[in-house]
Amino acid sequence: MDLTQLIFDLIDLRSFSNLWYWIALAVTWSSASHWVIGIPYDMVLRARRHGGEADRDLADITRVNVSRILMIADQAGLILMALLTFSVTSLLLLGFYYGSEFCQALVLILIPLSFVGFLSLSTARKIRAAGDTGEALRRRLALHRVTVQVIGMLSIFVTAFWGMLQNFNVSILPG
């Protein structure tokens, strides 16, 4: 096997049979559930355990991230939504109508992450509206994290099912 073939085998665009895709999928959902609206979840746990300064730090970083998310949504939300819709629609067509496995793999990551993005925006609006602090803030962030984890588990299940189906179909086709 020559070097060129080895490189192409490593970056194979048949995503569902590629180890790198599954590693990227796991890292994506691990990161999504750890960074709750941009806040590392260990800060929430530290604030729950220690209170005091850790609780103030959590309130400060939450205020900053909520303001950032809401500012982005208010100033560029419509443009971002249009770009997301165009991108996902293009990938859906390329993946499921034209049969590009790479585009299918991207769609199976991007659509659930879009739900996480909308959930983060909703959580940020709720935190701002309710003025959550202390236990109420920690509870809302924990609920957000659990919801993201459920979305991630469903996404991984659907992706694994679709990937197995694709690999099965590829392996039984002649030639």
Side-chain angles (χ1 to χ4, degrees):
M1 178 182 290
D2 63 348
L3 182 62
T4 309
Q5 184 63 37
L6 179 64
I7 291 171
F8 282 124
D9 285 344
L10 282 174
I11 58 173
D12 183 15
L13 293 181
R14 284 191 10 248
S15 301
F16 299 114
S17 61
N18 192 332
L19 177 63
W20 294 108
Y21 174 74
W22 296 104
I23 291 171
L25 183 70
V27 168
T28 298
W29 287 110
S30 175
S31 296
S33 67
H34 177 70
W35 293 91
V36 179
I37 67 168
I39 302 163
Y41 195 71
D42 62 290
M43 285 189 75
V44 177
L45 296 176
R46 193 174 323 118
R48 178 174 288 139
R49 273 185 254 133
H50 302 295
E53 186 177 344
D55 211 22
R56 287 188 298 279
D57 289 346
L58 177 63
D60 290 341
I61 196 167
T62 300
R63 180 185 47 77
V64 168
N65 283 340
V66 164
S67 295
R68 182 181 59 86
I69 289 169
L70 295 179
M71 187 256 325
I72 291 170
D74 290 342
Q75 293 183 358
L78 185 61
I79 293 169
L80 290 174
M81 186 64 185
L83 287 172
L84 177 69
T85 303
F86 174 77
S87 300
V88 170
T89 302
S90 298
L91 288 171
L92 276 167
L93 286 172
L94 288 170
F96 293 98
Y97 185 75
Y98 291 108
S100 169
E101 188 175 313
F102 183 71
C103 292
Q104 291 173 6
L106 287 177
V107 163
L108 290 171
I109 292 175
L110 287 178
I111 288 179
L113 278 180
S114 298
F115 288 119
V116 170
F118 295 132
L119 179 66
S120 295
L121 179 60
S122 174
T123 300
R125 289 187 197 273
K126 289 176 184 175
I127 289 171
R128 168 77 54 88
D132 288 341
T133 57
E135 183 58 33
L137 176 61
R138 292 190 301 270
R139 191 174 21 254
R140 190 171 308 271
L141 293 174
L143 178 63
H144 177 86
R145 181 176 193 229
V146 168
T147 308
V148 169
Q149 288 174 331
V150 168
I151 292 170
M153 286 188 302
L154 291 173
S155 172
I156 290 170
F157 175 77
V158 169
T159 302
F161 181 78
W162 184 257
M164 285 187 290
L165 183 65
Q166 291 300 99
N167 287 333
F168 180 69
N169 285 339
V170 169
S171 66
I172 64 169
L173 293 177

